[in-house]
Each structure stands twice: as C-alpha cells, then as structure tokens.
Amino acid sequence: PQPASVPVQPPEPEPPDPSETDEARFLLELQKEKYQVISEFSEDMIFSYNAISDSMELSEKFCRVFQVPAYLRDYSTHPEPSFLFLPEEYQCLVERFHKLSWADQQLEMDLHLKLPDGTMPWFHLALRTLWSSRDRSRELGYVGKLTNINRIKREATKWQQRANTDPLTQLHNRAGAHLLFEQMLRECAEQDRKMTVVFMDIDHFKSLNDTLGHAAGDQILIAFSQNVRRQFRPTDIVARFGGDEFLVIMKDTGDEAFARRKLEPLCHQTLFLPALKLPAGMSGEASDQLPVSSSIGVAFYPDDAQDFDALLRKADSALYASKRAGRGTVSFCAAVEAQEGI
C-alpha cells in the first residue's frame, strides 16, 4: 500500500528584526512631525468630514484660531455653524455645496468668518467632496482648507480705491462712478426704484485756468468738488468725470422739483481760495473769494434711459442746453427733448 501523504507545513515566519520595526516606527513618527511642521508653516487650516463615522476632524491651527475641539463626534447632530458667517454668504455656500456631485466635486469662494474676538476677516475656502469609487452617488465625506486672506483683500481694496479715485479732488473718477452706478442700477431694477443722473461743469473754466494758472485751476477744482460733495448724501455717487466735469447720481429720487432744489445752489456759488491771490475784479467780497457758475444737466432712470452711457448722453445733452440758455442754470433731459421735438 502507498504510504499516506503527509501535509507539508509552511515554514514559520521569521520574527521581525527589531531594528526594522524601530525604523518603521521612526519613519512614521517623522512623517507625522513633518506634516505638523508643514501645516504650521502654511497659512491653511485643514478640516475633514467622514460621512461613515459622522465625524469632523480639524487641524491644530484650525482649533487654535477658532477655539474648537480637534475631533467632533456625531457631527450631523451639532447645530449648523451659520453664526460664523454673514447670512448671504452662508446661503450662497450651502447652495453651492448641495450642487456638488461626483462630476463636480470642488468649490472655492471668499467669505467672512467670525473669530472668537468678534472680528470677521476674509478667508478663502477650498472644499472637495469624496465619493465612493463603486457607487458614484454615495458621498463619503469632504476635505477642505481655510486660508486667511484678510491682508490680501485689504491691500486689493486699497489699490482698487486708488484706481477708482481722482487724485486731485479725492472724489470717485469715471471708472469708480461707473462701477458704483452698476451696483446701484441692479438694486433699483430689482426694487423698482428711480435714480437721478446729474452732469455739470464749471462755466468758463478754461479761461480761469489760463488767466490764473494751472495751480490755481487745481485749487478751483478742489474747492468746487468740496462744495458739490457737501450738497449730497453720503450714499449719493459724486465723481469728477474729467477736466472740470462732475457727475452726481442720486438713488430713490426722480422728481424734477426735488432735483432743482438740490442743484440750483450749485449754479452760482462762491469758492473760498485762501491760498490764492486773486486779481482785482475777479474776487468777490474778499480777495480770497471767487464767484463761479456751473451749467447742469439732468436725466432720470428709468424714464429717460436705462444704462450708464445712455443716461450720461442724455444728461450731457441737457447740460449743453443749459449753456445755450446762458449758463448757470439747470436743464432737464425730458424738457429739452420735448422742446427740440425729439
């Protein structure tokens, strides 16, 4: 008879070399330390949500900045963190988050977040959702990072303000006025409100500039712009459009009688120019007073036109009607067009 087969036993695994185990543990610890250092060097605050365990894990920097624990269990049962956000920004974030899918996994946006000290600096949020490779409809969680960009935003705002400000008068320039107009236009269109667009210039400014010199011309523009700015509300847009031309845009006004009461004081005014020695015959009651007049044209939104350029053309046309009428007066687009049969 054949001898019974004896199963072959696999050889016993050799015990791990203690030096190799120590080295692996050392490398793992080194990786953790490197990650921690890199995270500290970075401006980013990391967070990750695990949908399977319903837990949120936050980086050390995140915890330090927002003063929250590093690990949150049963995260879905916690109150929504809406108190950290501006309401409109939180609503936008939630809407964009719910639109994420396997095909579109990432969102980025700039927003304000409330810190424990009550301030709300700017942060850049980058978030990416995680999905099952077997079931693309199953979300596994998300990871994200926050970066404090308040200094960058502040610098950008400062440069934007400089770009949109007339350096001589410190009023808005044409670009700044156009930008603010578009914002105001959206509000007026949504809420069915009116606007008054005013275009004005200083009568005979070229002659004054040639007679007194460019430095004196600059002082006249500064004094005139200050008078114009004082005549209107802080919410009204007041801009130096170029040369001696000025633009004013008033929201929630579309009444001719009201506009006339606001604008007629600017048709004839006295500028105080203490830095100048005005020639005899040019000054008013004192040697530092200069009487000036200005011609003004007015157009209304939406009655006369509905966009920036068209409203400017209408107001400019009314301004030249004021000049033809002898200067130092206010003319309205609708009345000018009716008179001219347009």
Side-chain angles (χ1 to χ4, degrees):
Q2 295 292 329
S5 60
V6 179
V8 179
Q9 296 294 330
E12 290 289 333
E14 295 183 6
D17 186 340
S19 62
E20 292 181 0
T21 305
D22 292 342
E23 182 178 1
R25 189 180 298 113
F26 171 77
L27 291 174
L28 179 60
E29 185 177 351
L30 179 62
Q31 286 296 107
K32 289 182 178 179
E33 289 295 324
K34 284 169 62 178
Y35 174 80
Q36 182 66 32
V37 171
I38 292 171
S39 176
E40 284 300 311
F41 283 164
S42 169
E43 293 294 327
D44 299 334
M45 290 165 279
I46 311 299
F47 59 93
S48 62
Y49 173 68
N50 186 328
I52 298 173
S53 61
D54 191 23
S55 60
M56 176 72 77
E57 190 172 355
L58 308 167
S59 70
E60 183 177 338
K61 179 169 285 188
F62 195 113
C63 299
R64 187 168 65 249
V65 171
F66 289 95
Q67 297 181 11
V68 292
Y71 189 81
L72 300 174
R73 300 179 184 275
D74 303 321
Y75 184 72
S76 61
T77 65
H78 287 252
E80 289 189 350
S82 57
F83 65 93
L84 292 174
F85 301 79
L86 294 177
E88 61 274 17
E89 291 181 351
Y90 185 68
Q91 182 180 354
C92 178
L93 172 61
V94 171
E95 290 174 357
R96 291 185 60 184
F97 179 79
H98 286 314
K99 291 179 181 178
L100 295 178
S101 64
W102 178 86
D104 183 13
Q105 302 179 4
Q106 188 163 328
L107 72 80
E108 293 191 34
M109 66 179 294
D110 295 343
L111 42 74
H112 296 83
L113 286 173
K114 188 174 184 179
L115 297 182
D117 63 4
T119 60
M120 295 195 75
W122 280 99
F123 288 87
H124 179 74
L125 167 67
L127 182 146
R128 181 167 181 172
T129 49
L130 307 173
W131 301 83
S132 170
S133 59
R134 296 181 180 179
D135 181 0
R136 293 179 177 177
S137 65
R138 185 186 181 193
E139 184 183 344
L140 302 179
Y142 53 83
V143 294
K145 67 176 183 177
L146 288 170
T147 307
N148 190 320
I149 58 169
N150 202 55
R151 180 180 59 81
I152 297 172
K153 281 283 189 180
R154 194 165 55 243
E155 288 294 320
T157 299
K158 182 166 60 177
W159 284 107
Q160 184 70 36
Q161 288 174 342
R162 287 182 181 178
N164 293 332
T165 300
D166 173 58
L168 179 65
T169 63
Q170 296 304 304
L171 299 177
H172 301 295
N173 59 17
R174 178 172 182 159
H178 194 171
L179 184 66
L180 293 172
F181 170 85
E182 294 297 336
Q183 296 173 358
M184 191 179 286
L185 177 63
R186 285 193 294 270
E187 295 173 6
C188 289
E190 291 171 359
Q191 302 166 13
D192 193 26
R193 296 182 175 182
K194 296 184 176 183
M195 280 191 294
T196 300
V197 176
V198 180
F199 211 42
M200 68 180 76
D201 71 7
I202 303 172
D203 294 328
H204 306 296
F205 177 75
K206 185 178 184 305
S207 176
L208 291 171
N209 202 44
D210 292 342
T211 302
L212 299 175
H214 293 294
D218 287 348
Q219 293 302 311
I220 292 170
L221 290 171
I222 292 170
F224 183 84
S225 69
Q226 291 171 346
N227 283 1
V228 173
R229 177 67 273 182
R230 282 193 292 265
Q231 184 70 7
F232 297 97
R233 301 167 297 182
T235 53
D236 295 330
I237 301 169
V238 180
R240 181 188 176 197
F241 206 70
D244 65 322
E245 297 175 327
F246 292 83
L247 174 70
V248 177
I249 304 172
M250 296 182 285
K251 185 180 178 182
D252 294 330
T253 60
D255 177 73
E256 184 174 317
F258 173 80
R260 189 178 294 279
R261 287 196 304 272
K262 291 289 288 183
L263 296 170
E264 282 187 341
L266 296 173
C267 290
H268 297 278
Q269 55 183 297
T270 298
L271 304 181
F272 294 91
L273 306 168
L276 297 180
K277 293 182 179 179
L278 297 172
M282 293 190 67
S283 59
E285 296 180 0
S287 61
D288 59 356
Q289 296 180 358
L290 179 67
V292 297
S293 68
S294 57
S295 298
I296 301 175
V298 182
F300 294 118
Y301 167 89
D303 297 340
D304 296 324
Q306 287 78 48
D307 64 77
F308 187 72
D309 291 335
L311 284 163
L312 281 181
R313 287 195 301 271
K314 299 275 189 174
D316 188 47
S317 175
L319 181 152
Y320 277 93
S322 291
K323 289 190 176 297
R324 291 193 300 270
R327 294 183 168 86
T329 188
V330 180
S331 297
F332 293 87
C333 167
V336 171
E337 291 183 346
Q339 184 178 0
E340 296 176 353
I342 298 176

